[in-house]
Amino acid sequence: SGSAMPYSQARYWLIRAVAEVAGLSFEEAADRFGTHSLRVGGATAVADIMAAQGITEHEFQQHGRWRSREAMLVYIDGSTAKRMRVSKGLGY
């Protein structure tokens, strides 16, 4: 109907799907995964792809709507952040 889904409902469906895929109960999945951990995994995966395509750290930060580099790095695995800095330094 065009209205936004409430956070609690989105979280429920997301955790339910993770539980099903991971073979866990809803309670186990809710204890192990949250929207923050899923954002971390997603940002890290996307950062790998973007770094390979020559997207700069700043462009990635803007895309993710992070206000600072430090805020962005919370969501990116350290090794990915290092690779992005190296790629940027090499002009890729």
Side-chain angles (χ1 to χ4, degrees):
S1 67
S3 62
M5 179 184 295
Y7 171 81
S8 58
Q9 188 178 4
R11 182 182 179 278
Y12 169 81
W13 288 106
L14 187 63
I15 296 299
R16 184 174 169 187
V18 168
E20 185 176 323
V21 169
L24 302 170
S25 70
F26 180 85
E27 292 76 18
E28 290 172 317
D31 286 343
R32 292 177 57 185
F33 302 98
T35 54
H36 178 76
S37 64
L38 295 171
R39 186 172 186 194
V40 169
T44 298
V46 170
D48 284 336
I49 294 166
M50 294 178 97
Q53 294 180 355
I55 304 299
T56 68
E57 206 173 87
H58 179 72
E59 291 167 326
F60 183 65
Q61 178 184 332
Q62 288 180 319
H63 177 75
R65 298 183 185 158
W66 289 287
R67 293 182 185 203
S68 69
R69 181 174 185 274
E70 292 74 25
M72 175 190 69
L73 292 179
V74 168
Y75 291 94
I76 301 175
D77 175 85
S79 60
T80 300
K82 289 177 188 175
R83 285 196 305 272
M84 287 180 72
R85 280 195 304 278
V86 170
S87 294
K88 186 177 178 182
L90 295 173
Y92 295 115

Coordinates of all heavy atoms in Angstrom, one line a residue:
S1 N 0.8 -1.2 0.0 CA 0.0 0.0 0.0 C 0.9 1.3 0.0 O 0.3 2.3 0.2 CB -0.9 0.0 1.2 OG -0.2 0.1 2.4
G2 N 2.2 1.1 -0.1 CA 3.0 2.3 -0.2 C 3.5 2.8 1.1 O 4.3 3.7 1.1
S3 N 3.1 2.3 2.2 CA 3.6 2.8 3.5 C 4.8 2.0 3.9 O 5.0 0.8 3.6 CB 2.5 2.7 4.6 OG 2.1 1.3 4.8
A4 N 5.6 2.6 4.7 CA 6.9 2.0 5.2 C 6.5 0.9 6.2 O 5.6 1.0 7.0 CB 7.8 3.0 5.8
M5 N 7.3 -0.2 6.2 CA 7.2 -1.2 7.1 C 7.8 -0.8 8.5 O 9.0 -0.3 8.4 CB 7.9 -2.5 6.6 CG 7.8 -3.7 7.5 SD 8.7 -5.2 7.0 CE 7.8 -5.6 5.5
P6 N 7.2 -1.0 9.6 CA 7.8 -0.7 10.9 C 9.1 -1.5 11.1 O 9.2 -2.7 10.7 CB 6.7 -1.1 11.9 CG 5.5 -1.2 11.2 CD 5.8 -1.6 9.7
Y7 N 10.1 -0.9 11.8 CA 11.3 -1.6 12.0 C 11.1 -2.9 12.7 O 11.8 -3.9 12.3 CB 12.2 -0.7 12.9 CG 13.5 -1.4 13.4 CD1 14.6 -1.5 12.5 CD2 13.5 -2.0 14.6 CE1 15.7 -2.2 13.0 CE2 14.7 -2.7 15.1 CZ 15.8 -2.7 14.2 OH 16.9 -3.4 14.6
S8 N 10.3 -3.0 13.7 CA 10.1 -4.3 14.4 C 9.6 -5.4 13.5 O 10.0 -6.5 13.6 CB 9.1 -4.1 15.6 OG 7.9 -3.6 15.2
Q9 N 8.7 -5.0 12.6 CA 8.2 -6.0 11.6 C 9.3 -6.4 10.7 O 9.4 -7.6 10.4 CB 7.0 -5.5 10.9 CG 6.3 -6.5 10.0 CD 5.1 -5.9 9.3 OE1 4.8 -4.7 9.4 NE2 4.3 -6.7 8.6
A10 N 10.1 -5.5 10.2 CA 11.2 -5.8 9.2 C 12.2 -6.7 9.9 O 12.7 -7.7 9.3 CB 11.8 -4.5 8.7
R11 N 12.5 -6.4 11.2 CA 13.5 -7.2 11.9 C 13.0 -8.6 12.1 O 13.7 -9.6 11.9 CB 13.7 -6.5 13.3 CG 14.8 -7.3 14.1 CD 15.0 -6.7 15.5 NE 16.0 -7.4 16.2 CZ 15.7 -8.5 16.9 NH1 14.4 -9.0 16.9 NH2 16.6 -9.2 17.6
Y12 N 11.7 -8.7 12.5 CA 11.1 -10.1 12.6 C 11.2 -10.9 11.4 O 11.7 -12.0 11.4 CB 9.6 -9.9 13.0 CG 8.9 -11.3 13.0 CD1 9.0 -12.2 14.0 CD2 8.1 -11.6 11.8 CE1 8.3 -13.4 14.0 CE2 7.5 -12.8 11.8 CZ 7.6 -13.7 12.8 OH 7.0 -15.0 12.8
W13 N 10.8 -10.4 10.2 CA 10.9 -11.1 9.0 C 12.3 -11.4 8.6 O 12.6 -12.5 8.0 CB 10.1 -10.4 7.9 CG 8.7 -10.5 8.1 CD1 7.8 -9.5 8.5 CD2 7.9 -11.7 8.0 NE1 6.6 -10.0 8.6 CE2 6.5 -11.3 8.3 CE3 8.1 -13.0 7.6 CZ2 5.5 -12.2 8.3 CZ3 7.0 -13.9 7.6 CH2 5.8 -13.5 7.9
L14 N 13.2 -10.5 8.8 CA 14.6 -10.7 8.5 C 15.2 -11.8 9.4 O 15.9 -12.7 8.8 CB 15.4 -9.4 8.7 CG 16.8 -9.4 8.2 CD1 16.9 -9.6 6.7 CD2 17.5 -8.0 8.6
I15 N 15.0 -11.8 10.7 CA 15.5 -12.8 11.6 C 14.9 -14.1 11.3 O 15.5 -15.2 11.3 CB 15.3 -12.4 13.0 CG1 16.0 -11.1 13.4 CG2 15.7 -13.6 14.0 CD1 17.5 -11.2 13.3
R16 N 13.6 -14.1 10.9 CA 12.9 -15.4 10.6 C 13.6 -16.0 9.3 O 13.8 -17.2 9.3 CB 11.5 -15.1 10.3 CG 10.7 -16.3 10.0 CD 9.2 -16.1 10.0 NE 8.5 -17.2 9.4 CZ 7.3 -17.3 9.1 NH1 6.5 -16.2 9.3 NH2 6.7 -18.4 8.6
A17 N 13.9 -15.2 8.3 CA 14.5 -15.7 7.1 C 15.9 -16.3 7.4 O 16.3 -17.3 6.9 CB 14.6 -14.7 6.1
V18 N 16.7 -15.5 8.2 CA 18.0 -16.0 8.6 C 18.0 -17.3 9.4 O 18.8 -18.2 9.1 CB 18.8 -14.9 9.4 CG1 20.0 -15.4 10.1 CG2 19.1 -13.7 8.6
A19 N 17.0 -17.4 10.3 CA 16.8 -18.6 11.0 C 16.6 -19.8 10.1 O 17.2 -20.9 10.3 CB 15.7 -18.5 12.0
E20 N 15.7 -19.6 9.1 CA 15.4 -20.7 8.2 C 16.6 -21.1 7.4 O 16.9 -22.3 7.2 CB 14.3 -20.2 7.3 CG 13.7 -21.3 6.3 CD 12.6 -20.8 5.5 OE1 11.7 -20.1 6.0 OE2 12.5 -21.2 4.3
V21 N 17.3 -20.1 6.8 CA 18.5 -20.4 6.0 C 19.6 -21.1 6.8 O 20.3 -22.0 6.4 CB 19.0 -19.1 5.3 CG1 20.4 -19.4 4.7 CG2 18.0 -18.6 4.3
A22 N 19.8 -20.6 8.1 CA 20.9 -21.1 8.9 C 20.5 -22.4 9.7 O 21.3 -22.9 10.4 CB 21.3 -20.0 9.9
G23 N 19.2 -22.8 9.6 CA 18.8 -23.9 10.4 C 18.7 -23.7 11.9 O 19.0 -24.6 12.6
L24 N 18.4 -22.5 12.3 CA 18.3 -22.2 13.7 C 16.9 -21.9 14.1 O 16.0 -21.6 13.2 CB 19.1 -20.9 14.0 CG 20.6 -20.9 13.6 CD1 21.2 -19.5 13.7 CD2 21.4 -21.9 14.5
S25 N 16.6 -21.9 15.4 CA 15.3 -21.5 15.9 C 15.3 -19.9 15.8 O 16.4 -19.3 15.7 CB 15.1 -21.9 17.3 OG 16.0 -21.2 18.2
F26 N 14.1 -19.4 15.8 CA 14.0 -17.9 15.8 C 14.8 -17.3 16.9 O 15.5 -16.3 16.7 CB 12.6 -17.5 15.8 CG 12.4 -16.0 15.8 CD1 12.4 -15.3 14.5 CD2 12.3 -15.2 16.9 CE1 12.2 -14.0 14.5 CE2 12.2 -13.9 16.9 CZ 12.1 -13.2 15.6
E27 N 14.7 -17.9 18.1 CA 15.4 -17.3 19.3 C 16.9 -17.4 19.1 O 17.6 -16.4 19.4 CB 15.0 -18.1 20.5 CG 13.6 -17.8 21.0 CD 12.6 -18.6 20.1 OE1 12.9 -19.6 19.4 OE2 11.4 -18.2 20.1
E28 N 17.4 -18.5 18.6 CA 18.9 -18.6 18.3 C 19.4 -17.6 17.3 O 20.4 -16.9 17.5 CB 19.2 -20.0 17.8 CG 19.1 -21.1 18.9 CD 19.3 -22.5 18.2 OE1 18.7 -22.7 17.1 OE2 20.0 -23.3 18.8
A29 N 18.6 -17.4 16.2 CA 19.0 -16.4 15.2 C 18.9 -15.0 15.7 O 19.8 -14.2 15.5 CB 18.1 -16.6 14.0
A30 N 17.9 -14.7 16.5 CA 17.7 -13.4 17.1 C 18.9 -13.1 18.1 O 19.4 -11.9 18.1 CB 16.4 -13.2 17.8
D31 N 19.4 -14.1 18.8 CA 20.5 -13.9 19.7 C 21.8 -13.7 18.9 O 22.7 -13.0 19.4 CB 20.7 -15.1 20.6 CG 19.6 -15.1 21.7 OD1 19.0 -14.1 22.0 OD2 19.5 -16.2 22.3
R32 N 22.0 -14.3 17.8 CA 23.2 -14.3 17.0 C 23.3 -13.3 15.9 O 24.4 -12.8 15.6 CB 23.5 -15.7 16.4 CG 23.7 -16.8 17.4 CD 23.9 -18.1 16.9 NE 25.0 -18.2 15.9 CZ 25.2 -19.3 15.2 NH1 24.5 -20.4 15.4 NH2 26.2 -19.3 14.3
F33 N 22.2 -12.8 15.4 CA 22.2 -11.9 14.3 C 21.2 -10.8 14.6 O 20.1 -11.0 15.1 CB 21.7 -12.6 13.0 CG 22.6 -13.7 12.6 CD1 22.2 -15.0 12.9 CD2 23.8 -13.5 12.0 CE1 23.0 -16.1 12.5 CE2 24.6 -14.6 11.6 CZ 24.2 -15.9 11.9
G34 N 21.6 -9.6 14.1 CA 20.7 -8.4 14.2 C 20.9 -7.6 12.9 O 21.7 -8.0 12.1
T35 N 20.1 -6.6 12.8 CA 20.2 -5.8 11.6 C 21.6 -5.2 11.5 O 22.1 -5.0 10.4 CB 19.1 -4.7 11.6 OG1 19.2 -3.9 12.8 CG2 17.7 -5.3 11.5
H36 N 22.2 -4.9 12.6 CA 23.6 -4.3 12.6 C 24.6 -5.3 12.0 O 25.4 -5.0 11.1 CB 24.1 -3.9 14.0 CG 25.4 -3.3 14.0 ND1 25.8 -2.1 13.5 CD2 26.6 -3.9 14.4 CE1 27.1 -1.9 13.6 NE2 27.6 -2.9 14.2
S37 N 24.5 -6.5 12.4 CA 25.5 -7.5 11.9 C 25.2 -7.8 10.4 O 26.2 -8.1 9.7 CB 25.4 -8.8 12.7 OG 24.2 -9.4 12.6
L38 N 24.0 -7.8 10.0 CA 23.7 -8.0 8.6 C 24.2 -6.8 7.8 O 24.6 -7.0 6.7 CB 22.2 -8.2 8.4 CG 21.7 -9.5 9.1 CD1 20.2 -9.5 9.0 CD2 22.3 -10.7 8.4
R39 N 24.1 -5.6 8.3 CA 24.6 -4.4 7.6 C 26.1 -4.5 7.5 O 26.7 -4.2 6.4 CB 24.2 -3.1 8.3 CG 24.6 -1.9 7.4 CD 24.1 -0.6 8.0 NE 24.4 0.4 7.0 CZ 24.3 1.7 7.2 NH1 23.9 2.1 8.4 NH2 24.7 2.6 6.3
V40 N 26.8 -5.0 8.5 CA 28.2 -5.2 8.5 C 28.6 -6.1 7.3 O 29.5 -5.8 6.5 CB 28.8 -5.7 9.8 CG1 30.2 -6.1 9.7 CG2 28.6 -4.6 10.9
G41 N 27.9 -7.3 7.3 CA 28.2 -8.3 6.3 C 28.0 -7.7 4.9 O 28.7 -7.9 4.0
G42 N 26.8 -7.1 4.7 CA 26.5 -6.5 3.4 C 27.4 -5.4 3.0 O 27.9 -5.4 1.8
A43 N 27.8 -4.5 3.9 CA 28.7 -3.5 3.5 C 30.1 -4.0 3.2 O 30.8 -3.5 2.3 CB 28.9 -2.5 4.7
T44 N 30.5 -5.0 3.9 CA 31.9 -5.6 3.6 C 31.8 -6.3 2.3 O 32.8 -6.1 1.5 CB 32.2 -6.7 4.7 OG1 32.3 -6.0 6.0 CG2 33.6 -7.3 4.4
A45 N 30.8 -7.0 1.9 CA 30.7 -7.7 0.6 C 30.7 -6.6 -0.5 O 31.3 -6.8 -1.5 CB 29.5 -8.5 0.6
V46 N 29.9 -5.6 -0.3 CA 29.8 -4.5 -1.3 C 31.1 -3.8 -1.5 O 31.5 -3.5 -2.6 CB 28.6 -3.6 -1.0 CG1 28.7 -2.4 -1.9 CG2 27.3 -4.3 -1.2
A47 N 31.8 -3.6 -0.3 CA 33.1 -2.9 -0.4 C 34.1 -3.6 -1.2 O 34.9 -3.1 -1.9 CB 33.6 -2.6 1.0
D48 N 34.1 -5.0 -1.1 CA 35.0 -5.8 -1.9 C 34.7 -5.6 -3.4 O 35.7 -5.4 -4.1 CB 34.8 -7.3 -1.5 CG 35.4 -7.7 -0.2 OD1 36.4 -7.0 0.2 OD2 35.0 -8.7 0.4
I49 N 33.5 -5.6 -3.8 CA 33.1 -5.4 -5.2 C 33.5 -4.0 -5.6 O 34.1 -3.8 -6.7 CB 31.6 -5.7 -5.4 CG1 31.3 -7.1 -5.1 CG2 31.2 -5.3 -6.8 CD1 29.8 -7.4 -4.9
M50 N 33.2 -3.0 -4.8 CA 33.4 -1.6 -5.2 C 34.9 -1.4 -5.3 O 35.4 -0.7 -6.2 CB 32.8 -0.7 -4.3 CG 31.2 -0.8 -4.3 SD 30.4 0.3 -3.2 CE 30.1 1.7 -4.3
A51 N 35.7 -1.9 -4.4 CA 37.1 -1.7 -4.4 C 37.7 -2.4 -5.7 O 38.6 -1.8 -6.4 CB 37.8 -2.4 -3.2
A52 N 37.2 -3.5 -6.1 CA 37.7 -4.2 -7.3 C 37.3 -3.4 -8.5 O 38.0 -3.4 -9.6 CB 37.0 -5.6 -7.4
Q53 N 36.3 -2.5 -8.5 CA 35.8 -1.7 -9.6 C 36.4 -0.3 -9.6 O 36.1 0.5 -10.4 CB 34.3 -1.7 -9.7 CG 33.7 -3.0 -10.0 CD 32.2 -2.9 -10.0 OE1 31.6 -1.9 -9.8 NE2 31.5 -4.0 -10.4
G54 N 37.3 -0.1 -8.6 CA 37.9 1.2 -8.5 C 37.1 2.3 -7.9 O 37.4 3.5 -8.0
I55 N 36.0 2.0 -7.2 CA 35.2 3.0 -6.4 C 36.0 3.4 -5.2 O 36.6 2.6 -4.5 CB 33.9 2.4 -6.0 CG1 33.1 1.8 -7.2 CG2 33.1 3.4 -5.2 CD1 32.7 2.8 -8.2
T56 N 36.1 4.7 -5.0 CA 36.9 5.2 -3.9 C 36.2 5.1 -2.6 O 35.0 4.9 -2.5 CB 37.2 6.7 -4.1 OG1 36.0 7.5 -4.0 CG2 37.9 7.0 -5.4
E57 N 37.0 5.1 -1.5 CA 36.4 5.1 -0.2 C 35.4 6.2 0.0 O 34.3 5.9 0.6 CB 37.6 5.2 0.8 CG 37.3 4.5 2.1 CD 38.6 4.5 3.0 OE1 38.7 5.5 3.7 OE2 39.3 3.6 2.9
H58 N 35.7 7.4 -0.5 CA 34.8 8.5 -0.3 C 33.5 8.2 -1.0 O 32.4 8.5 -0.5 CB 35.4 9.8 -0.8 CG 34.6 11.0 -0.7 ND1 34.3 11.6 0.5 CD2 33.9 11.7 -1.6 CE1 33.4 12.6 0.3 NE2 33.2 12.7 -1.0
E59 N 33.5 7.7 -2.2 CA 32.3 7.4 -3.0 C 31.5 6.4 -2.2 O 30.3 6.5 -2.2 CB 32.7 7.0 -4.4 CG 33.2 8.0 -5.2 CD 33.9 7.5 -6.5 OE1 34.5 6.4 -6.5 OE2 33.8 8.2 -7.5
F60 N 32.2 5.4 -1.7 CA 31.5 4.3 -0.9 C 30.8 4.9 0.3 O 29.7 4.6 0.6 CB 32.4 3.2 -0.6 CG 31.8 2.1 0.1 CD1 30.9 1.3 -0.5 CD2 32.1 1.8 1.4 CE1 30.2 0.2 0.1 CE2 31.5 0.7 2.1 CZ 30.6 -0.1 1.4
Q61 N 31.5 5.8 1.0 CA 31.0 6.5 2.2 C 29.7 7.3 1.8 O 28.7 7.2 2.5 CB 32.0 7.4 2.8 CG 31.5 8.2 4.0 CD 32.5 9.2 4.5 OE1 33.7 9.0 4.3 NE2 32.1 10.2 5.1
Q62 N 29.7 8.0 0.7 CA 28.6 8.8 0.3 C 27.4 7.8 -0.1 O 26.3 8.1 0.3 CB 28.9 9.6 -0.9 CG 29.8 10.8 -0.6 CD 30.1 11.6 -1.8 OE1 30.4 11.1 -2.9 NE2 30.1 12.9 -1.7
H63 N 27.7 6.7 -0.7 CA 26.7 5.8 -1.1 C 26.0 5.2 0.1 O 24.8 5.0 0.1 CB 27.3 4.7 -2.0 CG 26.3 3.6 -2.4 ND1 25.4 3.8 -3.4 CD2 26.1 2.4 -2.0 CE1 24.6 2.8 -3.5 NE2 25.1 1.8 -2.7
G64 N 26.8 4.9 1.1 CA 26.2 4.3 2.3 C 25.6 5.3 3.3 O 25.1 4.9 4.3
R65 N 25.7 6.6 2.9 CA 25.2 7.7 3.7 C 25.8 7.7 5.1 O 25.2 8.1 6.1 CB 23.7 7.6 3.8 CG 23.0 7.7 2.5 CD 21.5 7.7 2.6 NE 21.0 7.7 1.3 CZ 19.7 7.3 1.0 NH1 19.0 6.9 2.0 NH2 19.3 7.4 -0.2
W66 N 27.1 7.4 5.2 CA 27.8 7.5 6.5 C 28.3 9.0 6.6 O 28.9 9.5 5.6 CB 29.0 6.5 6.6 CG 28.5 5.1 6.8 CD1 28.0 4.6 7.9 CD2 28.5 4.1 5.8 NE1 27.7 3.3 7.7 CE2 28.0 2.9 6.4 CE3 28.9 4.0 4.4 CZ2 27.9 1.7 5.7 CZ3 28.8 2.8 3.8 CH2 28.3 1.7 4.4
R67 N 28.2 9.6 7.7 CA 28.6 11.0 7.9 C 30.1 11.1 8.0 O 30.6 12.2 7.7 CB 27.9 11.6 9.1 CG 26.4 11.7 8.9 CD 25.8 12.3 10.1 NE 24.3 12.3 9.8 CZ 23.5 13.1 10.4 NH1 23.9 14.0 11.3 NH2 22.2 13.1 10.2
S68 N 30.8 10.1 8.4 CA 32.2 10.2 8.5 C 32.9 8.9 8.1 O 32.2 7.8 8.0 CB 32.6 10.5 10.0 OG 32.4 9.3 10.8
R69 N 34.2 8.9 7.8 CA 34.9 7.8 7.5 C 34.9 6.7 8.6 O 34.8 5.6 8.4 CB 36.4 8.1 7.1 CG 37.2 7.0 6.7 CD 38.6 7.5 6.2 NE 39.4 6.4 5.7 CZ 40.1 5.6 6.5 NH1 40.2 5.8 7.8 NH2 40.7 4.6 6.0
E70 N 35.0 7.3 9.8 CA 35.1 6.4 11.0 C 33.7 5.6 11.2 O 33.7 4.4 11.5 CB 35.3 7.2 12.3 CG 36.7 7.8 12.4 CD 37.0 9.0 11.4 OE1 36.0 9.7 11.0 OE2 38.2 9.1 11.0
A71 N 32.6 6.3 10.9 CA 31.3 5.6 11.0 C 31.2 4.5 9.9 O 30.7 3.5 10.1 CB 30.2 6.7 10.8
M72 N 31.8 4.8 8.7 CA 31.7 3.8 7.7 C 32.6 2.6 8.0 O 32.2 1.5 7.8 CB 32.3 4.4 6.4 CG 32.4 3.4 5.2 SD 33.3 4.1 3.8 CE 35.0 4.2 4.5
L73 N 33.8 2.8 8.6 CA 34.7 1.7 8.9 C 34.1 0.8 9.9 O 34.5 -0.4 9.9 CB 36.0 2.3 9.3 CG 36.8 3.0 8.2 CD1 38.1 3.5 8.7 CD2 37.1 2.1 7.0
V74 N 33.2 1.2 10.7 CA 32.5 0.3 11.7 C 31.9 -0.9 10.9 O 31.8 -2.0 11.4 CB 31.5 1.1 12.6 CG1 30.6 0.1 13.4 CG2 32.3 2.0 13.5
Y75 N 31.4 -0.6 9.7 CA 30.6 -1.5 9.0 C 31.4 -2.3 8.0 O 30.9 -3.2 7.3 CB 29.5 -0.8 8.2 CG 28.4 -0.3 9.2 CD1 28.4 1.0 9.7 CD2 27.4 -1.2 9.6 CE1 27.5 1.4 10.5 CE2 26.4 -0.7 10.5 CZ 26.5 0.5 11.0 OH 25.5 1.0 11.8
I76 N 32.7 -2.1 7.9 CA 33.5 -2.7 6.9 C 34.6 -3.5 7.6 O 35.3 -3.0 8.5 CB 34.2 -1.7 5.9 CG1 33.1 -0.9 5.2 CG2 35.1 -2.4 4.9 CD1 33.7 0.2 4.3
D77 N 34.8 -4.8 7.2 CA 35.9 -5.6 7.7 C 37.2 -4.9 7.5 O 37.4 -4.3 6.4 CB 35.8 -6.9 7.0 CG 37.0 -7.8 7.3 OD1 36.9 -8.5 8.4 OD2 38.0 -7.8 6.6
G78 N 38.1 -5.0 8.5 CA 39.3 -4.3 8.4 C 40.2 -4.5 7.2 O 40.8 -3.7 6.6
S79 N 40.2 -5.8 6.8 CA 41.0 -6.1 5.6 C 40.4 -5.5 4.3 O 41.2 -5.0 3.5 CB 41.0 -7.6 5.4 OG 39.7 -8.2 5.2
T80 N 39.1 -5.3 4.2 CA 38.5 -4.6 3.1 C 38.9 -3.2 3.1 O 39.2 -2.6 2.1 CB 37.0 -4.8 3.1 OG1 36.7 -6.2 3.1 CG2 36.3 -4.1 1.9
A81 N 38.8 -2.5 4.3 CA 39.2 -1.1 4.4 C 40.6 -0.9 4.0 O 40.9 0.1 3.3 CB 38.9 -0.6 5.8
K82 N 41.5 -1.8 4.4 CA 42.9 -1.7 4.0 C 43.1 -1.8 2.5 O 43.8 -1.0 1.9 CB 43.7 -2.7 4.7 CG 43.9 -2.5 6.2 CD 44.7 -3.7 6.8 CE 44.7 -3.5 8.3 NZ 45.3 -4.7 9.0
R83 N 42.4 -2.7 1.9 CA 42.5 -2.9 0.4 C 42.0 -1.7 -0.3 O 42.5 -1.3 -1.3 CB 41.7 -4.2 0.0 CG 42.5 -5.5 0.3 CD 41.9 -6.6 -0.4 NE 40.5 -6.8 -0.3 CZ 39.9 -7.5 0.7 NH1 40.6 -8.1 1.6 NH2 38.6 -7.7 0.7
M84 N 40.9 -1.1 0.2 CA 40.4 0.1 -0.4 C 41.4 1.2 -0.4 O 41.6 2.0 -1.3 CB 39.1 0.5 0.2 CG 37.9 -0.4 -0.1 SD 36.3 0.1 0.6 CE 36.0 1.5 -0.3
R85 N 42.1 1.4 0.8 CA 43.1 2.5 0.9 C 44.2 2.2 0.0 O 44.7 3.1 -0.7 CB 43.5 2.6 2.3 CG 42.6 3.3 3.2 CD 43.2 3.7 4.5 NE 43.8 2.6 5.3 CZ 43.1 1.8 6.1 NH1 41.9 2.0 6.3 NH2 43.8 0.9 6.8
V86 N 44.7 1.0 -0.1 CA 45.8 0.6 -1.1 C 45.3 0.9 -2.5 O 46.1 1.5 -3.2 CB 46.2 -0.8 -0.9 CG1 47.2 -1.2 -2.0 CG2 46.8 -1.0 0.5
S87 N 44.2 0.5 -2.9 CA 43.7 0.7 -4.2 C 43.6 2.2 -4.5 O 44.0 2.7 -5.6 CB 42.3 0.1 -4.4 OG 42.3 -1.3 -4.3
K88 N 43.1 3.0 -3.6 CA 43.0 4.4 -3.7 C 44.4 5.0 -3.9 O 44.7 5.9 -4.7 CB 42.3 5.1 -2.6 CG 42.0 6.5 -2.7 CD 41.2 7.0 -1.5 CE 41.0 8.5 -1.6 NZ 40.3 9.0 -0.4
G89 N 45.4 4.6 -3.1 CA 46.7 5.1 -3.1 C 47.4 4.7 -4.4 O 48.3 5.5 -4.9
L90 N 47.1 3.6 -5.0 CA 47.6 3.2 -6.3 C 46.9 3.9 -7.5 O 47.3 3.7 -8.6 CB 47.6 1.7 -6.4 CG 48.5 0.9 -5.5 CD1 48.2 -0.6 -5.6 CD2 50.0 1.2 -5.7
G91 N 45.9 4.6 -7.2 CA 45.1 5.3 -8.3 C 44.1 4.4 -9.0 O 43.7 4.8 -10.1
Y92 N 43.7 3.3 -8.3 CA 42.7 2.5 -9.0 C 41.3 2.8 -8.5 O 41.1 3.1 -7.4 CB 43.0 1.0 -8.6 CG 44.3 0.5 -9.2 CD1 45.3 0.1 -8.4 CD2 44.4 0.4 -10.6 CE1 46.5 -0.4 -8.9 CE2 45.6 -0.1 -11.1 CZ 46.6 -0.4 -10.3 OH 47.8 -0.9 -10.9

